[in-house]
Amino acid sequence: MKSFLLLILSLMITGWEASSEVKGCTDGWVEFICQHNPTHQYQSVDVVKNSQTIIRSTRKNEWQTEGRFSVYYDAANRKLRVVIKPHQHGDSGKYKCTFKFEGKSESDKVDLRVDNGCQTPFNQTAYRTAKTTISCNKRNSTVMFFCKENGSICEDILSTKSSLKSNGSFTLTETSSSFNMSISNVSSQHAGVYWCGVETDKGSNRAALRKIQLEVNDTITSFTRSPTVGQNLTYWCGYPKGTPIKKFICKGEDPSICKQIVSTQQSNTGKYFMMEDKERINSTITVRNVTTEDSGTYWCGAERNDPKQSNLFFHKLVMTVVTRTTSSPGASSLPGTISGVVCVAVLLVLLILVLVWKRFQRSKDTKNGEQNNEDGVYEEIQERPQKPDSGTALSTIYVTANAPTNPSASQHYSTVNFPNSYGEASGDTYSTVWDSGHSPTHSAVNHPSRLPEDPFYSTVNNPQQH
């Protein structure tokens, strides 16, 4: 009982202590978490190694940096994030985070170990609108993560502990020996520094294992070809001077992991043929007897021997192989089709000429008709009504005498129909019109019901000839 009371008293004076282990590697970085009792109010915290304070945190929710050390106090979760970057062999040892509360203190301990387990840093070139993949070696029984560097921190992108395997343009995949993060539709915003690493102690500690510097190339040359099944496709790629000796062609959407299918150091037999000129700046590529399976994206690249850098790529070809079209029986060949088009065009021209000629004739006939109408001679005859109760009002009867087209004709004839009392034509009376010098001429009109000595008179005006 006495021993138990002494233990409680000791904890009240010196504070609560805990410890964890973190493993890192040189050229990487580590992040570990220190926590304190949530019932205490934070004032400050010292990160101490071998009795020497390395960095002190006095502000909440704000990064503070001194040399290779950065700290961030998360007030909501009562924990301190400590980052050491870059990691060195001399960083191995025991660390203690000492939290201070109104004259009292509380400590959390971390045992940090550094080894040579980091992968070689890598400089990778991606190509705009294409796809690229970042790869890291896999460690058994650990959680792997990818993050992108942003100032003092590395912002999480994807982790194997999460069921989410895709985040925007990022996708996480795993194999038995590696885990990979692919970036689709690459843009300039994807350029930057990426890290892959492992998590321990349920994510409270992290160690970065590899640094990937990603650059984005915006000047890749792209072109397309659409050969027909059975044809041979030939194209060429240009390489800058000083390009590594081994040039190759690979197929796949992602040039960082695409499979080589032919190179300048291989024999020119088989389906693919590649040959460069004497200056080694141009290469000719031939794909023999293409099939629909040959459709896809091809890259002209050059192989580097530096394990810290990705291969170079200069041209992108998108090939779409189309199937051969067969003509149906009786179908016209291309020359026949052209001849048919020419014949149709000639017929259209002739049809237009006929329509224009007909319209011209119609216009001419209309004009002649108007002139003939002017030769009409109009005659007005006034007839007194036969009924006594009709008064003395006159009824007007119109007659048209058409002058003959022969100018030598001396007589013009007209027929006048007189209506009877019932409004019906009762008979014909003929009048003779004598044309004499185009002056007004009188004609006698005999009504069938009247005596010859009681004629009607009419005035006939013959218009002047033009």
Side-chain angles (χ1 to χ4, degrees), residues 127-146:
Y127 300 89
R128 188 174 61 85
T129 72
K131 188 178 182 180
T132 195
T133 300
I134 299 172
S135 299
C136 288
N137 293 338
K138 191 174 184 180
R139 288 191 175 183
N140 295 329
S141 303
T142 55
V143 175
M144 310 293 293
F145 70 89
F146 277 103

Side-chain angles (χ1 to χ4, degrees), residues 372-373 375-381 397-403 412-417 431 433 460:
N372 291 336
N373 288 339
D375 292 335
V377 178
Y378 295 92
E379 180 178 21
E380 178 178 318
I381 302 174
I397 302 173
Y398 294 92
V399 62
T400 301
N402 294 320
H412 298 165
Y413 296 91
S414 64
T415 301
V416 181
N417 295 321
S431 65
V433 182
V460 180

Side-chain angles (χ1 to χ4, degrees), residues 99-111:
F99 297 89
K100 297 180 179 179
F101 316 95
E102 300 177 354
K104 298 178 182 180
S105 65
E106 182 178 293
S107 298
D108 191 6
K109 293 182 179 180
V110 175
D111 187 6

Side-chain angles (χ1 to χ4, degrees), residues 426-444:
S426 60
D428 296 336
T429 299
Y430 297 92
S431 65
T432 302
V433 182
W434 300 91
D435 186 4
S436 176
H438 306 296
S439 59
T441 303
H442 298 278
S443 65

Side-chain angles (χ1 to χ4, degrees), residues 237-269:
C237 294
Y239 295 87
K241 289 184 177 180
T243 302
I245 295 177
K246 184 179 179 180
K247 282 87 172 177
F248 65 88
I249 302 299
C250 72
K251 181 182 179 182
E253 295 293 331
D254 187 345
S256 64
I257 58 174
C258 68
K259 180 182 179 182
Q260 292 189 22
I261 55 177
V262 66
S263 73
T264 53
Q265 296 183 355
Q266 292 176 334
S267 61
N268 295 325
T269 59

Side-chain angles (χ1 to χ4, degrees), residues 383-453:
E383 177 189 10
R384 296 182 181 275
Q386 297 299 310
K387 295 181 179 182
D389 58 351
S390 62
T392 60
L394 295 176
S395 298
T396 301
I397 302 173
Y398 294 92
V399 62
T400 301
N402 294 320
T405 57
N406 185 358
S408 63
S410 59
Q411 294 183 354
H412 298 165
Y413 296 91
S414 64
T415 301
V416 181
N417 295 321
F418 290 91
N420 57 21
S421 59
Y422 300 101
E424 299 177 351
S426 60
D428 296 336
T429 299
Y430 297 92
S431 65
T432 302
V433 182
W434 300 91
D435 186 4
S436 176
H438 306 296
S439 59
T441 303
H442 298 278
S443 65
V445 180
N446 297 318
H447 194 284
S449 61
R450 291 181 178 270
L451 296 176
E453 58 271 15

Side-chain angles (χ1 to χ4, degrees), residues 266-284:
Q266 292 176 334
S267 61
N268 295 325
T269 59
K271 186 178 185 66
Y272 299 95
F273 170 86
M274 185 174 185
M275 182 179 66
E276 59 182 345
D277 59 12
K278 294 181 179 180
E279 289 77 17
R280 293 184 174 178
I281 58 175
N282 291 303
S283 293
T284 302

